[in-house]
Amino acid sequence: MQDIIHIDMDAFYAAVEQRDFPQYRNKPVVVGGDPEKRGVVATCSYEARKFGIHSAMACARAQRLCPKAIFVRPRFEVYRQISQQIRDIMFSYTDLVEPLSLDEAYLDVTHCKRSFGSPTLVAKAIKNEIFQTTGLTASAGVSYNKFIAKIASDMDKPNGLTLITEKQGPEFVKQLPIGKFHGIGPATETKMQDLGIYTGEDLLAWSIDELKAIFGKVSEYYYYAARGVDRREVMSHRQRKSIGSEQTFSEDIKDEKEMLAKLQELATEVWQDMHTKNICGRTITVKVKFDNFVQVTRAATLAGNISRLEDISGQLEELLNKAEVRGRHVRLLGVAVSKLTTKEGVDEEQLTLL
Ligand code: DCP
Ligand code: MG
């Protein structure tokens, strides 16, 4: 059995605009094109949704529905940066992360790197970390496959967390409107409804062959989905850029010597990991998060590859000093190595392209 989490940011572009421009908060905000120039809505804040505004609607119509709405242009570069922050968080929990767009991803946490006892607690921790890091909320669906996890993440938006267990799965799918199935867009939905298929339960009456005659290759997915079954795996296309280890402390650390000792421990872990994975690197980064959640990183790049643990350890004190930790309370420390190559001297990035 797999433990799958689907994470989807709430009103993503609009939430970013409300975060960065306090004057937009609690107001109907529409991100998209120009209403005067046949622009289209990319997304809108939950305040704007109350007026019936939604993605892909003409901005001119949105303006008629809510004349007070604030129209803003998208800032893709900012969204991309935040998307990367979110992904880094996800990858710190599992290597199996499959992004679907800038604001959503599937995670397979069956073998979570930072285990908290249950996938629901892992989802909670990820949501929490996303909020601490970006100031934005996400919704999570927790289930035993991708199909159900994705529907679950949409059930309690915004800032929701919904668990659907393997036991609940088949009954849950029965009552599901057919248009909610991932991959069934408006055209297929109409086609299904014309055949009398309105819910998952209606779909149960159809054999694979009957479905294939009408829907072709995707029929198998429909057939199994109707039974709450989805065997698709979470596909990660990650190119590893760094290898690292970090720790959040139950109590903040104030003593510099203690910080350095912790960094040494983390460096040893990283070194062992590099060794097992047969990876070399040149850049050493120390990450420090203070009690006010401000995070700083300080890095040093060596002339050649790291060849001994001491190459990493030797940099820690100076990097810690550069992070200006003196007199401050530290809640997290991390060590990472980047500019990676394999022992054979081939770039990891090149390897993944082979
Ligand atoms: N997007 C877009 N055009 C669309 C749909 C979406 O440009 N037709 C962009 C803007 C969204 C982002 O993609 O912010 C994510 O899409 P979602 O469908 O996840 O929508 P939101 O995150 O905005 O809202 P929700 O809270 O419903 O997830
Ligand atoms: Mg979203």
Side-chain angles (χ1 to χ4, degrees):
M1 220 249 307
Q2 322 165 77
D3 292 322
I4 309 293
I5 301 176
H6 179 258
I7 302 257
D8 188 301
M9 301 297 290
D10 301 319
F12 185 44
Y13 297 180
V16 175
E17 298 309 317
Q18 288 183 319
R19 178 193 78 170
D20 292 350
F21 301 93
Q23 65 270 33
Y24 299 162
R25 289 185 197 160
N26 307 311
K27 300 243 168 75
V29 174
V30 178
V31 182
D34 188 338
E36 308 293 324
K37 294 185 186 153
R38 305 166 63 89
V40 170
V41 176
T43 193
C44 61
S45 65
Y46 276 78
E47 293 82 359
R49 293 183 195 197
K50 290 190 198 132
F51 295 86
I53 303 174
H54 57 75
S55 294
M57 173 184 275
C59 288
R61 171 137 184 258
Q63 202 169 35
R64 282 197 298 276
L65 288 171
C66 177
K68 278 201 204 139
I70 304 163
F71 286 82
V72 297
R73 296 292 96 78
R75 295 180 299 148
F76 294 111
E77 199 37 51
V78 180
Y79 310 147
R80 261 193 291 275
Q81 277 168 15
I82 297 169
S83 184
Q84 190 55 50
Q85 284 181 304
I86 295 163
R87 256 169 231 177
D88 288 345
I89 292 170
M90 292 172 175
F91 276 117
S92 75
Y93 287 82
T94 171
D95 287 331
L96 294 174
V97 176
E98 179 183 340
L100 294 177
S101 69
L102 281 186
D103 93 320
E104 64 178 306
Y106 291 114
L107 291 80
D108 183 331
V109 296
T110 317
H111 305 287
C112 179
K113 289 195 258 183
R114 299 158 69 183
S115 194
F116 295 90
S118 83
T120 307
L121 290 176
V122 172
K124 227 180 224 172
I126 296 174
K127 268 164 56 74
N128 205 9
E129 200 167 330
I130 290 178
F131 186 73
Q132 299 293 356
T133 308
T134 67
L136 301 167
T137 62
S139 295
V142 181
S143 197
Y144 58 100
N145 64 37
K146 284 161 83 167
F147 166 60
I148 299 185
K150 179 155 166 81
I151 296 163
S153 74
D154 203 36
M155 286 177 60
D156 192 24
K157 265 185 169 287
N159 202 10
L161 198 168
T162 305
L163 164 74
I164 294 172
T165 63
E166 195 165 17
K167 207 167 153 210
Q168 296 164 329
E171 279 304 310
F172 169 75
V173 177
K174 268 193 193 172
Q175 51 75 47
L176 206 65
I178 207 72
K180 290 262 179 192
F181 279 54
H182 181 45
I184 299 191
T188 313
E189 183 183 10
T190 310
K191 206 163 158 186
M192 290 232 177
Q193 288 174 344
D194 288 345
L195 296 165
I197 307 171
Y198 292 90
T199 64
E201 187 163 20
D202 297 334
L203 196 54
L204 283 177
W206 291 66
S207 72
I208 290 193
D209 288 341
E210 285 168 330
L211 288 169
K212 270 193 179 151
I214 301 167
F215 299 103
K217 229 175 121 192
V218 296
S219 302
E220 223 157 283
Y221 165 70
Y222 295 157
Y223 178 86
Y224 287 109
R227 285 151 184 83
V229 175
D230 175 11
R231 297 211 170 85
R232 288 174 305 158
E233 285 182 14
V234 173
M235 309 281 264
S236 175
H237 302 292
R238 184 192 199 194
Q239 297 178 350
R240 181 186 287 279
K241 293 222 166 64
S242 71
I243 193 160
S245 184
E246 57 181 54
Q247 193 185 345
T248 303
F249 310 109
S250 45
E251 271 180 51
D252 295 346
I253 302 187
K254 284 159 263 178
D255 180 47
E256 273 176 78
K257 280 215 182 72
E258 202 180 326
M259 290 179 206
L260 197 57
K262 277 287 167 207
L263 287 177
Q264 291 288 5
E265 275 175 36
L266 294 167
T268 309
E269 280 176 32
V270 174
W271 171 246
Q272 281 162 354
D273 208 13
M274 288 171 70
H275 209 68
T276 340
K277 296 190 171 121
N278 205 27
I279 286 170
C280 295
R282 285 204 300 137
T283 299
I284 298 144
T285 304
V286 162
K287 174 159 134 186
V288 180
K289 199 188 262 182
F290 296 104
D291 55 347
N292 61 355
F293 289 95
V294 170
Q295 183 178 300
V296 297
T297 57
R298 293 292 178 263
T301 298
L302 307 183
N305 270 334
I306 294 163
S307 58
R308 307 169 302 157
L309 171 58
E310 289 70 36
D311 292 341
I312 309 177
S313 321
Q315 299 292 328
L316 300 175
E317 189 165 3
E318 196 181 334
L319 292 174
L320 192 62
N321 284 337
K322 283 192 180 154
E324 296 175 3
V325 292
R326 181 153 302 158
R328 300 177 73 178
H329 293 201
V330 165
R331 72 185 311 266
L332 171 147
L333 286 170
V335 173
V337 168
S338 54
K339 286 217 191 297
L340 303 180
T341 52
T342 60
K343 285 261 165 66
E344 288 73 36
V346 183
D347 269 351
E348 270 243 329
E349 286 189 15
Q350 286 171 353
L351 275 183
T352 58
L353 297 174
L354 294 177

